[in-house]
Amino acid sequence: MGGKKKPTLSQLAKKQDKQQPAPAKPAAKGRKTTAEERQTAKASLVEPKLLSDVEKEVTKWEYVTPYLVANRFNTKISVAYQILRTLAGKGTLVLVSKGHRTEVYTTPERLRQIAA
C-alpha cells in the first residue's frame, strides 16, 4: 500500500535552504525612526477635550459609527463606543440601529428629517 513519496533532490535542497537562517540585512542609512513614530499612539481613556472635539465634529455628519469615530480621532474602537454612548446619554446623538456588531447614531434633527 504504498506510503509517503520521497522528495526529489531539488525539493530537499529547497527545504534545506528555507531552514537555514537568512543573512542579517545591513541597517538602513539615513534617518532613524523613534519608537513613537513606529507605533501609533491611540487614546485609551475618554478625555474631556476629546469628547468635546468629537461632539463638535460628529454633529455635522449624516450618520456616526464607532469605526468612523475611531479612525477620524485615532482612538480605539472601545473608546469610540464609550464616547458615542456618552453623547447619546447627553442627547447630542440618537441611536438609530444596534446590532451585535455595531451601533449607528445620528443627530436628533437629522432623524426628524428622515422620519418626516
Side-chain angles (χ1 to χ4, degrees):
M1 325 284 122
K4 190 173 180 182
K5 292 184 180 180
K6 294 182 181 179
T8 63
L9 290 176
S10 61
Q11 288 174 336
L12 282 173
K14 287 179 185 177
K15 189 175 179 181
Q16 263 186 340
D17 288 342
K18 286 183 182 178
Q19 289 177 350
Q20 290 178 351
K25 294 181 180 179
K29 292 182 180 179
R31 187 177 97 98
K32 294 185 180 183
T33 59
T34 63
E36 292 175 2
E37 291 174 352
R38 281 184 248 131
Q39 200 175 32
T40 56
K42 293 193 173 190
S44 60
L45 298 173
V46 180
E47 298 172 2
K49 183 181 183 301
L50 177 64
L51 191 61
S52 64
D53 289 346
V54 171
E55 187 173 4
K56 288 175 189 173
E57 186 73 25
V58 160
T59 54
K60 301 172 189 172
W61 299 351
E62 276 188 56
Y63 63 92
V64 185
T65 62
Y67 179 78
L68 293 173
V69 173
N71 279 346
R72 176 70 174 86
F73 295 97
N74 198 26
T75 64
K76 293 182 179 180
I77 296 277
S78 59
V79 174
Y81 272 106
Q82 290 174 3
I83 290 170
L84 292 178
R85 288 177 183 156
T86 303
L87 293 176
K90 281 183 173 180
T92 307
L93 294 177
V94 177
L95 181 65
V96 176
S97 175
K98 180 177 178 174
H100 73 283
R101 286 189 169 213
T102 192
E103 301 169 355
V104 179
Y105 293 87
T106 190
T107 59
E109 296 82 29
R110 217 173 286 279
L111 188 63
R112 283 189 215 107
Q113 288 175 355
I114 294 170

